[in-house]
Amino acid sequence: MKKLVLALLTLGLVLSTAACSSKPADNGGTSSNETYTIRVLNYESKTATVLMEYVVQQWEELFGDYPVEFVIDTLPFAEKLQKCTEGDFEISFSGWSPDYAWPTTFLDMWKIGSEYNEIGYASEEYTNLVNGADKDPATAFADLQAAEKVLLEDGVLIPVYQRGGTMVQNPDVKGIIKHSIGFDYSYKWATKADGTTINLLETEKLPSLDAMLATDAVSFLNLGNLAEGLLIPGEAEGSAIEGVANEWNFDEATMTWTFNLRDDANWIDSKGQVVRPVTANDFVYAWDRVFAEDSVAQYKFMKDIAKITEYKAVDDKTLTVTVSENVPYFESLMTFGTFLPVPAEFAEEKGATYGTTLDTFLSNGPFYLSKWDHSSEVIWTKNDNYWDADVVKIPGVTYRVIEQYDPATGVALFNDGAIDRVGLSGEFVEQFKDDPRTFSFTEASTFYFMINVGNANGVVEEYDQENGGNPLLDNLNVRKALALAFDKAFIAYELDKNGSIPSDYFVPANFSTYEGEPYEAARGEGYMHYNTEEALKYWEAGMEELGISKK
């Protein structure tokens, strides 16, 4: 998911799944009067600011004898997302949630050539371990375990915590289904005792409802409830149940999946009116957009993940998908946002504006989009023309958008009855801990710093002015020093306090097994543990290699 990702549960949920930093200052030469800058981008929220300021403070205190300064830059979400896509950053705080139930959903993105390898990591050893072609599942699982060790000991990723959450919720609201894969919540089965709209808040503007361009948790959350693919996530974690397809099967002889589309799946406009039925060609058109060679879609690699070699509309109600390998997570992938259909002629008419405003998007899910005020409010209204409309009990969902969010604001709105649920962090977890309306959970999501090594060349005097990067960060010892120099437990248990757990690993705990063996069995407690003495040794070694002396 990345995924990925963010719905107000924790520190991580108010941070982008692709949060990137701005370009570095010119580091110039190595004279004794020179100051070298490492930049980290922050997100406009109180909780994110507290986390980032703590980490930077730890770095500055430990490494303060050297002429290196750490600068926190703050940008709006959309600008930060764009910088990350362009690789225009030095250090980025990011999060990732799984797209399917196998460790490659976390590890594939750092392979050489991956669309998501924004840090420019180019380890052949790592890439060979992650690539699964011609490997039996047992070998692939062991190689993935080894790959994570290589990745973290190379210091290009610094895990911080595995996301948890603590929420307080109106007891009259029930049936909101939490997902670890794809998008965060389904409201299809939600109920509210008085039969009114469920009221929520969001800390970020909705960037896009174009499934080809969606990469963040806010977009995926909306798409997951306004749109529907061949299959949808069920109430049971990891399950895939009927969506637009009401029947499907796999023919091992031809390695072909056949999906039969229901007759009563329709495209709905912002007034709740039926535009036309959903057809198999809507899937072909949508997938062609994503998987075209010149596509800008960051999730275009999903075709390879699914092992898809061909797909075609046999007729309006029959879609066939041929694969090179029958991977066990194929049906799970069909619930993911990238595989959603798109109304072909409507999208062609809207062009670049498709999915950017209320009138440039059509729904086909349990709700339709009836209001989209980018800066203040998003409203989903029950789709009475939905094929399974009888199970949808609420009239809709309203999201109030509050940028530069302060958790105290959310708690105040909840106490006033203006919203029906809110994520808790910091002091509010303690405040509500004995409240029967409060519950906690752990998610299969990891939040981490990623370090741009793709644009640096290891020479202090030079770096890529156009694309960013920082040669200090190209030094392995410097990266290891940064990884070891701050207390993740303090962040999780003292700053966040809401159920997140410190993480010295990238693939979440309790996420994946093979024949009963947990993925984390090979790593024990993980890698690169907090150790200020070791951090200082690595830093001094790195400074010596770079020719940078103490002040």
Side-chain angles (χ1 to χ4, degrees):
M1 196 166 136
K2 138 32 329 181
K3 314 261 181 116
L4 67 108
V5 20
L6 304 178
L8 307 178
L9 301 185
T10 70
L11 290 175
L13 292 178
V14 293
L15 293 167
S16 161
T17 54
C20 303
S21 74
S22 59
K23 290 182 182 179
D26 188 348
N27 286 325
T30 59
S31 69
S32 59
N33 295 324
E34 188 70 45
T35 297
Y36 306 96
T37 302
I38 294 177
R39 310 191 77 92
V40 186
L41 185 68
N42 196 14
Y43 180 73
E44 294 175 337
S45 76
K46 180 178 178 180
T47 48
T49 298
V50 170
L51 181 149
M52 201 67 68
E53 288 181 348
Y54 166 74
V55 173
V56 167
Q57 180 187 37
Q58 298 305 295
W59 286 341
E60 288 178 337
E61 289 182 358
L62 190 59
F63 309 136
D65 288 342
Y66 288 84
V68 178
E69 65 176 359
F70 297 87
V71 177
I72 300 173
D73 293 315
T74 302
L75 288 177
F77 171 72
E79 293 181 31
K80 189 167 65 172
L81 185 65
Q82 183 64 30
K83 282 186 172 293
C84 191
T85 302
E86 295 171 352
D88 181 9
F89 67 96
E90 293 179 26
I91 297 180
S92 160
F93 187 70
S94 301
W96 192 260
S97 299
D99 302 325
Y100 54 93
W102 191 247
T104 50
T105 189
F106 285 88
L107 300 174
D108 260 356
M109 59 182 160
W110 311 117
K111 298 190 306 184
I112 296 171
S114 166
E115 294 289 331
Y116 266 95
N117 190 358
E118 294 143 334
I119 62 176
Y121 185 49
S123 169
E124 291 186 5
E125 178 187 11
Y126 176 83
T127 299
N128 290 335
L129 285 168
V130 174
N131 282 337
D134 302 322
K135 293 182 182 179
D136 64 87
T139 299
F141 197 71
D143 283 353
L144 291 171
Q145 291 171 317
E148 183 186 38
K149 184 175 188 291
V150 171
L151 180 71
L152 297 190
E153 291 187 347
D154 274 350
V156 292
L157 291 188
I158 307 174
V160 179
Y161 59 82
Q162 182 174 339
R163 186 171 69 183
T166 299
M167 275 197 158
V168 58
Q169 178 172 301
N170 180 348
D172 290 341
V173 173
K174 302 183 186 302
I176 300 174
I177 306 302
K178 180 77 178 72
H179 304 297
S180 293
I181 297 174
F183 61 100
D184 285 336
Y185 298 99
S186 287
Y187 289 86
K188 175 177 176 175
W189 297 278
T191 62
K192 191 174 179 181
D194 63 4
T196 60
T197 294
I198 293 177
N199 297 299
L200 305 169
L201 63 81
E202 183 57 82
T203 62
E204 302 164 3
K205 294 179 183 178
L206 170 59
S208 176
L209 285 173
D210 185 342
M212 178 180 73
L213 301 177
T215 61
D216 63 284
V218 179
S219 296
F220 278 128
L221 175 66
N222 280 268
L223 285 168
N225 288 276
L226 298 171
E228 189 165 273
L230 295 167
L231 307 178
I232 64 174
E235 296 185 63
E237 184 63 56
S239 63
I241 62 176
E242 61 181 312
V244 174
N246 56 2
E247 294 181 346
W248 63 98
N249 62 76
F250 179 70
D251 183 348
E252 192 169 357
T254 61
M255 298 296 285
T256 299
W257 290 88
T258 299
F259 293 92
N260 298 317
L261 278 55
R262 61 180 70 255
D263 293 326
D264 50 354
N266 296 298
W267 291 111
I268 308 297
D269 65 18
S270 61
K271 305 297 184 183
Q273 301 301 307
V274 174
V275 177
R276 67 163 175 82
V278 179
T279 69
N281 187 61
D282 293 329
F283 287 92
V284 172
Y285 173 79
W287 295 8
D288 280 348
R289 293 175 78 227
V290 174
F291 302 136
E293 185 174 343
D294 60 351
S295 168
V296 298
Q298 290 196 35
Y299 276 103
K300 65 191 296 184
F301 65 88
M302 282 297 203
K303 181 180 180 183
D304 294 332
I305 297 296
K307 309 300 181 184
I308 295 172
T309 59
E310 183 183 27
Y311 49 87
K312 62 182 178 180
V314 177
D315 53 46
D316 279 352
K317 296 299 177 182
T318 309
L319 178 75
T320 59
V321 185
T322 303
V323 296
S324 60
E325 178 185 343
N326 185 20
V327 293
Y329 48 80
F330 182 86
E331 289 169 287
S332 174
L333 273 179
M334 292 301 101
T335 72
F336 191 70
T338 299
F339 292 96
L340 289 170
V342 170
E345 75 292 341
F346 181 83
E348 287 294 302
E349 175 191 341
K350 302 304 179 184
T353 68
Y354 172 72
T356 61
T357 64
L358 181 66
D359 295 324
T360 62
F361 177 74
L362 298 181
S363 306
N364 74 314
F367 304 94
Y368 67 88
L369 185 67
S370 58
K371 183 176 181 180
W372 185 2
D373 185 324
H374 289 72
S375 60
S376 63
E377 193 173 49
V378 175
I379 298 179
W380 311 339
T381 298
K382 178 182 175 179
N383 178 6
D384 290 327
N385 293 296
Y386 177 56
W387 66 269
D388 206 15
D390 289 346
V391 309
V392 182
K393 303 303 183 185
I394 56 173
V397 175
T398 296
Y399 274 98
R400 180 184 307 200
V401 179
I402 303 178
E403 296 187 279
Q404 301 185 33
Y405 172 74
D406 185 326
T409 301
V411 170
L413 288 169
F414 178 81
N415 287 334
D416 290 343
I419 58 174
D420 289 306
R421 66 190 308 195
V422 68
L424 303 176
S425 61
E427 64 187 276
F428 297 109
V429 175
E430 185 69 20
Q431 180 179 321
F432 282 88
K433 69 177 183 179
D434 297 323
D435 191 314
R437 300 171 298 175
T438 301
F439 61 96
S440 298
F441 51 89
T442 302
E443 300 185 340
S445 302
T446 305
F447 282 76
Y448 54 95
F449 290 103
M450 61 180 182
I451 297 178
N452 188 342
V453 293
N455 296 319
N457 57 19
V459 180
V460 175
E461 291 86 351
E462 300 177 18
Y463 67 94
D464 190 328
Q465 289 275 8
E466 181 179 354
N467 295 316
N470 187 323
L472 275 69
L473 299 175
D474 198 39
N475 184 279
L476 175 60
N477 283 317
V478 169
R479 298 196 303 269
K480 286 186 173 183
L482 296 175
L484 299 175
F486 63 93
D487 188 349
K488 302 170 187 180
F490 182 83
I491 291 173
Y493 301 139
E494 299 299 327
L495 296 182
D496 196 15
K497 296 183 180 179
N498 73 339
S500 295
I501 56 178
S503 172
D504 289 318
Y505 49 81
F506 183 49
V507 179
N510 303 315
F511 166 67
S512 185
T513 62
Y514 176 70
E515 294 187 345
E517 179 191 357
Y519 180 85
E520 57 265 28
R523 69 184 181 212
E525 296 181 357
Y527 314 100
M528 306 298 289
H529 305 293
Y530 172 55
N531 187 321
T532 55
E533 291 184 5
E534 288 298 309
L536 189 55
K537 290 178 182 178
Y538 281 124
W539 184 263
E540 290 173 343
M543 293 296 103
E544 182 177 355
E545 290 167 353
L546 291 165
I548 299 175
S549 302
K550 290 184 178 181
K551 296 176 183 177

Short mmCIF file of all heavy atoms in Angstrom, two decimals, residues 360-392:
data_model
loop_
_atom_site.label_atom_id
_atom_site.label_comp_id
_atom_site.label_asym_id
_atom_site.label_seq_id
_atom_site.Cartn_x
_atom_site.Cartn_y
_atom_site.Cartn_z
N THR A 360 -16.49 14.86 -12.25
CA THR A 360 -15.60 14.13 -13.17
C THR A 360 -15.34 12.71 -12.66
O THR A 360 -14.35 12.10 -13.02
CB THR A 360 -14.26 14.87 -13.34
OG1 THR A 360 -13.59 14.95 -12.07
CG2 THR A 360 -14.48 16.27 -13.89
N PHE A 361 -16.26 12.20 -11.84
CA PHE A 361 -16.11 10.86 -11.29
C PHE A 361 -17.46 10.16 -11.25
O PHE A 361 -18.48 10.78 -10.93
CB PHE A 361 -15.54 10.93 -9.87
CG PHE A 361 -15.40 9.59 -9.19
CD1 PHE A 361 -14.40 8.70 -9.57
CD2 PHE A 361 -16.29 9.21 -8.19
CE1 PHE A 361 -14.28 7.46 -8.95
CE2 PHE A 361 -16.18 7.98 -7.56
CZ PHE A 361 -15.17 7.10 -7.94
N LEU A 362 -17.48 8.88 -11.59
CA LEU A 362 -18.66 8.04 -11.45
C LEU A 362 -18.38 6.94 -10.45
O LEU A 362 -17.27 6.40 -10.41
CB LEU A 362 -19.06 7.42 -12.80
CG LEU A 362 -19.44 8.39 -13.92
CD1 LEU A 362 -19.82 7.60 -15.18
CD2 LEU A 362 -20.57 9.32 -13.51
N SER A 363 -19.38 6.60 -9.65
CA SER A 363 -19.25 5.56 -8.63
C SER A 363 -19.91 4.27 -9.12
O SER A 363 -20.79 4.30 -9.99
CB SER A 363 -19.93 6.01 -7.33
OG SER A 363 -19.44 7.25 -6.89
N ASN A 364 -19.52 3.15 -8.55
CA ASN A 364 -20.23 1.89 -8.79
C ASN A 364 -20.26 1.03 -7.53
O ASN A 364 -20.50 -0.17 -7.60
CB ASN A 364 -19.61 1.11 -9.96
CG ASN A 364 -18.30 0.44 -9.61
OD1 ASN A 364 -17.42 1.07 -9.00
ND2 ASN A 364 -18.13 -0.82 -9.96
N GLY A 365 -20.01 1.66 -6.36
CA GLY A 365 -19.94 0.92 -5.12
C GLY A 365 -21.18 1.11 -4.26
O GLY A 365 -22.21 1.59 -4.72
N PRO A 366 -21.10 0.76 -2.98
CA PRO A 366 -22.25 0.88 -2.08
C PRO A 366 -22.66 2.32 -1.80
O PRO A 366 -23.78 2.58 -1.36
CB PRO A 366 -21.78 0.18 -0.81
CG PRO A 366 -20.28 0.19 -0.88
CD PRO A 366 -19.95 0.12 -2.32
N PHE A 367 -21.75 3.26 -2.05
CA PHE A 367 -22.04 4.69 -1.90
C PHE A 367 -21.64 5.41 -3.18
O PHE A 367 -20.78 4.94 -3.93
CB PHE A 367 -21.27 5.28 -0.71
CG PHE A 367 -21.51 4.57 0.59
CD1 PHE A 367 -20.67 3.56 1.02
CD2 PHE A 367 -22.60 4.91 1.39
CE1 PHE A 367 -20.88 2.89 2.22
CE2 PHE A 367 -22.83 4.26 2.59
CZ PHE A 367 -21.97 3.25 3.00
N TYR A 368 -22.28 6.55 -3.41
CA TYR A 368 -21.82 7.40 -4.50
C TYR A 368 -21.35 8.73 -3.93
O TYR A 368 -21.73 9.13 -2.82
CB TYR A 368 -22.91 7.60 -5.57
CG TYR A 368 -24.12 8.39 -5.14
CD1 TYR A 368 -24.16 9.79 -5.24
CD2 TYR A 368 -25.25 7.75 -4.64
CE1 TYR A 368 -25.28 10.51 -4.86
CE2 TYR A 368 -26.38 8.46 -4.25
CZ TYR A 368 -26.39 9.85 -4.36
OH TYR A 368 -27.48 10.57 -3.98
N LEU A 369 -20.47 9.41 -4.66
CA LEU A 369 -19.92 10.68 -4.22
C LEU A 369 -20.92 11.78 -4.51
O LEU A 369 -21.22 12.08 -5.66
CB LEU A 369 -18.60 10.95 -4.95
CG LEU A 369 -17.81 12.18 -4.52
CD1 LEU A 369 -17.28 12.00 -3.10
CD2 LEU A 369 -16.65 12.43 -5.49
N SER A 370 -21.47 12.40 -3.44
CA SER A 370 -22.49 13.44 -3.63
C SER A 370 -21.98 14.84 -3.30
O SER A 370 -22.63 15.84 -3.64
CB SER A 370 -23.71 13.13 -2.76
OG SER A 370 -23.37 13.04 -1.40
N LYS A 371 -20.83 14.93 -2.62
CA LYS A 371 -20.22 16.24 -2.38
C LYS A 371 -18.72 16.06 -2.26
O LYS A 371 -18.26 15.12 -1.62
CB LYS A 371 -20.77 16.89 -1.11
CG LYS A 371 -20.21 18.30 -0.85
CD LYS A 371 -20.85 18.97 0.36
CE LYS A 371 -20.30 20.37 0.57
NZ LYS A 371 -20.91 21.05 1.74
N TRP A 372 -17.97 16.98 -2.86
CA TRP A 372 -16.52 16.96 -2.75
C TRP A 372 -16.01 18.39 -2.72
O TRP A 372 -15.73 18.98 -3.75
CB TRP A 372 -15.90 16.17 -3.91
CG TRP A 372 -14.42 15.99 -3.82
CD1 TRP A 372 -13.58 16.41 -2.83
CD2 TRP A 372 -13.58 15.31 -4.78
NE1 TRP A 372 -12.28 16.05 -3.10
CE2 TRP A 372 -12.26 15.37 -4.29
CE3 TRP A 372 -13.83 14.68 -5.99
CZ2 TRP A 372 -11.20 14.81 -4.99
CZ3 TRP A 372 -12.77 14.13 -6.68
CH2 TRP A 372 -11.46 14.18 -6.18
N ASP A 373 -15.98 18.95 -1.54
CA ASP A 373 -15.36 20.25 -1.32
C ASP A 373 -13.95 19.96 -0.82
O ASP A 373 -13.76 19.54 0.31
CB ASP A 373 -16.15 21.06 -0.29
CG ASP A 373 -15.62 22.47 -0.11
OD1 ASP A 373 -14.38 22.64 -0.18
OD2 ASP A 373 -16.41 23.39 0.10
N HIS A 374 -12.97 20.18 -1.66
CA HIS A 374 -11.62 19.72 -1.39
C HIS A 374 -11.08 20.20 -0.05
O HIS A 374 -10.32 19.50 0.61
CB HIS A 374 -10.67 20.16 -2.51
CG HIS A 374 -10.89 19.42 -3.79
ND1 HIS A 374 -11.98 19.65 -4.58
CD2 HIS A 374 -10.16 18.45 -4.40
CE1 HIS A 374 -11.91 18.86 -5.65
NE2 HIS A 374 -10.82 18.12 -5.57
N SER A 375 -11.45 21.39 0.35
CA SER A 375 -10.86 21.97 1.54
C SER A 375 -11.68 21.77 2.81
O SER A 375 -11.21 22.08 3.90
CB SER A 375 -10.64 23.47 1.34
OG SER A 375 -11.88 24.12 1.09
N SER A 376 -12.91 21.24 2.68
CA SER A 376 -13.73 21.17 3.89
C SER A 376 -14.55 19.91 4.08
O SER A 376 -14.73 19.47 5.23
CB SER A 376 -14.69 22.38 3.94
OG SER A 376 -15.59 22.36 2.84
N GLU A 377 -15.05 19.27 3.01
CA GLU A 377 -16.01 18.20 3.25
C GLU A 377 -16.12 17.25 2.06
O GLU A 377 -16.10 17.66 0.91
CB GLU A 377 -17.39 18.81 3.53
CG GLU A 377 -18.40 17.85 4.10
CD GLU A 377 -19.68 18.55 4.50
OE1 GLU A 377 -20.22 19.33 3.68
OE2 GLU A 377 -20.15 18.34 5.64
N VAL A 378 -16.25 15.96 2.38
CA VAL A 378 -16.54 14.93 1.40
C VAL A 378 -17.74 14.14 1.91
O VAL A 378 -17.78 13.74 3.08
CB VAL A 378 -15.34 13.98 1.19
CG1 VAL A 378 -15.70 12.84 0.25
CG2 VAL A 378 -14.14 14.75 0.66
N ILE A 379 -18.73 13.91 1.05
CA ILE A 379 -19.92 13.17 1.45
C ILE A 379 -20.15 11.99 0.52
O ILE A 379 -20.16 12.14 -0.71
CB ILE A 379 -21.17 14.07 1.46
CG1 ILE A 379 -21.00 15.20 2.48
CG2 ILE A 379 -22.43 13.26 1.78
CD1 ILE A 379 -22.18 16.16 2.53
N TRP A 380 -20.33 10.81 1.13
CA TRP A 380 -20.78 9.63 0.41
C TRP A 380 -22.26 9.43 0.75
O TRP A 380 -22.66 9.51 1.92
CB TRP A 380 -20.06 8.37 0.85
CG TRP A 380 -18.57 8.43 0.91
CD1 TRP A 380 -17.72 9.29 0.28
CD2 TRP A 380 -17.73 7.55 1.68
NE1 TRP A 380 -16.42 9.01 0.58
CE2 TRP A 380 -16.39 7.94 1.45
CE3 TRP A 380 -17.98 6.47 2.52
CZ2 TRP A 380 -15.31 7.29 2.04
CZ3 TRP A 380 -16.91 5.82 3.11
CH2 TRP A 380 -15.59 6.22 2.87
N THR A 381 -23.07 9.13 -0.25
CA THR A 381 -24.49 8.87 -0.05
C THR A 381 -24.81 7.45 -0.48
O THR A 381 -24.26 6.96 -1.47
CB THR A 381 -25.34 9.87 -0.86
OG1 THR A 381 -25.06 11.20 -0.39
CG2 THR A 381 -26.83 9.59 -0.71
N LYS A 382 -25.68 6.79 0.27
CA LYS A 382 -26.05 5.41 -0.06
C LYS A 382 -26.51 5.32 -1.51
O LYS A 382 -27.32 6.11 -1.98
CB LYS A 382 -27.16 4.91 0.86
CG LYS A 382 -27.62 3.49 0.52
CD LYS A 382 -28.76 3.00 1.40
CE LYS A 382 -29.24 1.64 0.93
NZ LYS A 382 -30.33 1.10 1.77
N ASN A 383 -25.97 4.32 -2.21
CA ASN A 383 -26.32 4.08 -3.60
C ASN A 383 -27.50 3.11 -3.66
O ASN A 383 -27.34 1.91 -3.51
CB ASN A 383 -25.09 3.49 -4.33
CG ASN A 383 -25.37 3.16 -5.78
OD1 ASN A 383 -26.45 3.47 -6.32
ND2 ASN A 383 -24.41 2.52 -6.43
N ASP A 384 -28.70 3.66 -3.86
CA ASP A 384 -29.90 2.82 -3.90
C ASP A 384 -29.93 1.92 -5.13
O ASP A 384 -30.73 0.98 -5.19
CB ASP A 384 -31.16 3.70 -3.87
CG ASP A 384 -31.36 4.36 -2.51
OD1 ASP A 384 -31.00 3.74 -1.50
OD2 ASP A 384 -31.85 5.51 -2.48
N ASN A 385 -29.08 2.22 -6.12
CA ASN A 385 -29.01 1.39 -7.32
C ASN A 385 -27.86 0.38 -7.27
O ASN A 385 -27.53 -0.24 -8.27
CB ASN A 385 -28.85 2.29 -8.55
CG ASN A 385 -30.09 3.13 -8.80
OD1 ASN A 385 -31.16 2.60 -9.08
ND2 ASN A 385 -29.95 4.45 -8.70
N TYR A 386 -27.26 0.25 -6.10
CA TYR A 386 -26.19 -0.74 -5.90
C TYR A 386 -26.79 -2.15 -5.87
O TYR A 386 -27.88 -2.35 -5.31
CB TYR A 386 -25.48 -0.41 -4.58
CG TYR A 386 -24.38 -1.35 -4.16
CD1 TYR A 386 -23.30 -1.61 -5.00
CD2 TYR A 386 -24.42 -1.96 -2.91
CE1 TYR A 386 -22.27 -2.45 -4.59
CE2 TYR A 386 -23.40 -2.80 -2.48
CZ TYR A 386 -22.33 -3.05 -3.33
OH TYR A 386 -21.33 -3.88 -2.92
N TRP A 387 -26.10 -3.10 -6.43
CA TRP A 387 -26.63 -4.46 -6.53
C TRP A 387 -26.93 -5.09 -5.17
O TRP A 387 -27.81 -5.94 -5.04
CB TRP A 387 -25.67 -5.36 -7.32
CG TRP A 387 -24.34 -5.61 -6.64
CD1 TRP A 387 -23.21 -4.87 -6.78
CD2 TRP A 387 -24.03 -6.66 -5.72
NE1 TRP A 387 -22.20 -5.38 -6.00
CE2 TRP A 387 -22.67 -6.49 -5.34
CE3 TRP A 387 -24.75 -7.72 -5.18
CZ2 TRP A 387 -22.02 -7.34 -4.45
CZ3 TRP A 387 -24.11 -8.58 -4.29
CH2 TRP A 387 -22.76 -8.39 -3.92
N ASP A 388 -26.20 -4.67 -4.13
CA ASP A 388 -26.37 -5.22 -2.78
C ASP A 388 -26.88 -4.14 -1.83
O ASP A 388 -26.54 -4.13 -0.64
CB ASP A 388 -25.03 -5.78 -2.30
CG ASP A 388 -25.19 -6.90 -1.27
OD1 ASP A 388 -26.30 -7.43 -1.13
OD2 ASP A 388 -24.18 -7.23 -0.62
N ALA A 389 -27.74 -3.26 -2.33
CA ALA A 389 -28.16 -2.08 -1.56
C ALA A 389 -28.88 -2.45 -0.27
O ALA A 389 -28.84 -1.69 0.70
CB ALA A 389 -29.06 -1.19 -2.42
N ASP A 390 -29.52 -3.61 -0.23
CA ASP A 390 -30.28 -4.00 0.96
C ASP A 390 -29.40 -4.14 2.20
O ASP A 390 -29.88 -4.00 3.33
CB ASP A 390 -31.04 -5.30 0.72
CG ASP A 390 -32.21 -5.13 -0.24
OD1 ASP A 390 -32.59 -3.97 -0.49
OD2 ASP A 390 -32.73 -6.15 -0.73
N VAL A 391 -28.10 -4.43 2.02
CA VAL A 391 -27.23 -4.62 3.19
C VAL A 391 -26.67 -3.29 3.69
O VAL A 391 -26.09 -3.24 4.78
CB VAL A 391 -26.07 -5.60 2.89
CG1 VAL A 391 -26.58 -6.89 2.28
CG2 VAL A 391 -25.02 -4.95 2.00
N VAL A 392 -26.80 -2.24 2.90
CA VAL A 392 -26.28 -0.92 3.29
C VAL A 392 -27.34 -0.23 4.14
O VAL A 392 -28.40 0.16 3.65
CB VAL A 392 -25.94 -0.06 2.06
CG1 VAL A 392 -25.34 1.28 2.49
CG2 VAL A 392 -24.97 -0.81 1.14
#
